[in-house]
């Protein structure tokens, strides 16, 4: 018995269900989404066989969905980039699974190697680019699920036309096939 306490537990504490918190079916905090991304990243059997590379356009695949979130797998061949954008009302977790990506923001560039993670809030504008000589793979968790991706002009450059249509916004939900497999032209 611990001399600092008079409390003793008799019997099996797990048999007292009302004292236990129910297991969560889905994440609902930033820390839980980061943990989910790490768990998926560590489980190569779950995603590695799905990866495709396309030299003409960025490739992506919706890996999972749940109440209020989506998980996307993206591949990047050397030179491919996202264009400067934000994620509308969605927050997110970006995890580099293989290779190296550069994230460009108003604060400057940042190199993200395999295992690196970035968490971002709604309205966070960035551009992600594979400026290495090797392909890269990344995992993206969006909460709530990604419904738009407004494009931004790079700081100090004139407005440019985008491949995303009027207003520079890509409506991803409308582009998703039932299989969840699509290409995004960068």
């Amino acid at each position: 018995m611990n001399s600092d306490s008079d409390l003793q537990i008799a019997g099996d504490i797990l048999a007292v269900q009302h004292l236990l918190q129910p297991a969560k079916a889905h994440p609902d905090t930033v820390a839980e989404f980061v943990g989910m991304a790490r768990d998926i990243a560590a489980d190569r059997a779950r995603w590695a066989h799905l990866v495709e590379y396309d030299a003409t356009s960025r490739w992506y695949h919706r890996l999972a969905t749940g109440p209020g979130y989506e998980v996307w797998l993206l591949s990047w061949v050397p030179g491919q980039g996202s264009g400067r954008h934000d994620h509308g009302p969605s927050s997110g977790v970006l995890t580099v699974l293989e290779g190296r990506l550069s994230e460009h923001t108003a604060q400057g560039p940042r190199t993200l190697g395999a295992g690196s993670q970035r968490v971002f809030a709604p309205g966070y504008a960035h551009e992600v680019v594979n400026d290495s000589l090797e392909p890269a793979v990344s995992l993206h968790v969006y909460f709530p699920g990604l419904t738009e991706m407004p494009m931004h002009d790079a700081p100090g450059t004139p407005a440019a036309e985008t491949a995303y249509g009027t207003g520079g916004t890509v409506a991803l939900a409308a582009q998703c096939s039932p299989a969840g497999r699509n290409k995004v032209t960068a």
Side-chain angles (χ1 to χ4, degrees):
M1 180 169 149
N2 184 347
S3 62
D4 296 336
S5 174
D6 292 337
L7 176 64
Q8 293 184 15
I9 298 174
D12 181 4
I13 188 63
L14 298 178
V16 187
Q17 293 297 319
H18 68 280
L19 295 177
L20 302 175
Q21 291 186 356
K24 288 185 176 181
H26 300 284
D28 61 3
T29 67
V30 172
E32 290 169 350
F33 283 109
V34 168
M36 180 177 71
R38 283 187 186 143
D39 290 346
I40 293 170
D43 187 3
R44 286 186 55 82
R46 183 171 178 184
W47 57 265
H49 68 283
L50 298 169
V51 176
E52 297 177 18
Y53 297 97
D54 187 328
T56 60
S57 62
R58 255 184 330 126
W59 172 90
Y60 67 91
H61 173 77
R62 185 170 31 206
L63 191 60
T65 60
Y69 71 90
E70 294 179 323
V71 181
W72 293 89
L73 184 65
L74 284 78
S75 70
W76 311 75
V77 298
Q80 285 180 335
S82 64
R84 188 171 166 78
H85 66 280
D86 69 53
H87 304 92
S90 299
S91 296
V93 179
L94 160 65
T95 305
V96 178
L97 302 176
E98 294 179 349
R100 190 176 71 235
L101 295 171
S102 295
E103 180 189 40
H104 300 266
T105 68
Q107 289 73 41
R110 176 187 314 260
T111 300
L112 305 171
S116 296
Q117 289 187 296
R118 296 283 288 154
V119 175
F120 52 86
Y124 176 75
H126 67 163
E127 178 178 18
V128 179
V129 179
N130 180 355
D131 55 12
S132 75
L133 298 176
E134 301 294 326
V137 179
S138 58
L139 183 79
H140 303 249
V141 179
Y142 299 108
F143 45 99
L146 193 60
T147 58
E148 61 183 73
M149 197 170 88
M151 301 304 291
H152 296 256
D153 295 330
T157 63
E161 290 184 7
T162 69
Y164 300 105
T166 307
T169 298
V170 61
L172 292 178
Q175 294 183 359
C176 295
S177 70
R181 214 172 261 236
N182 282 299
K183 295 178 181 176
V184 174
T185 303

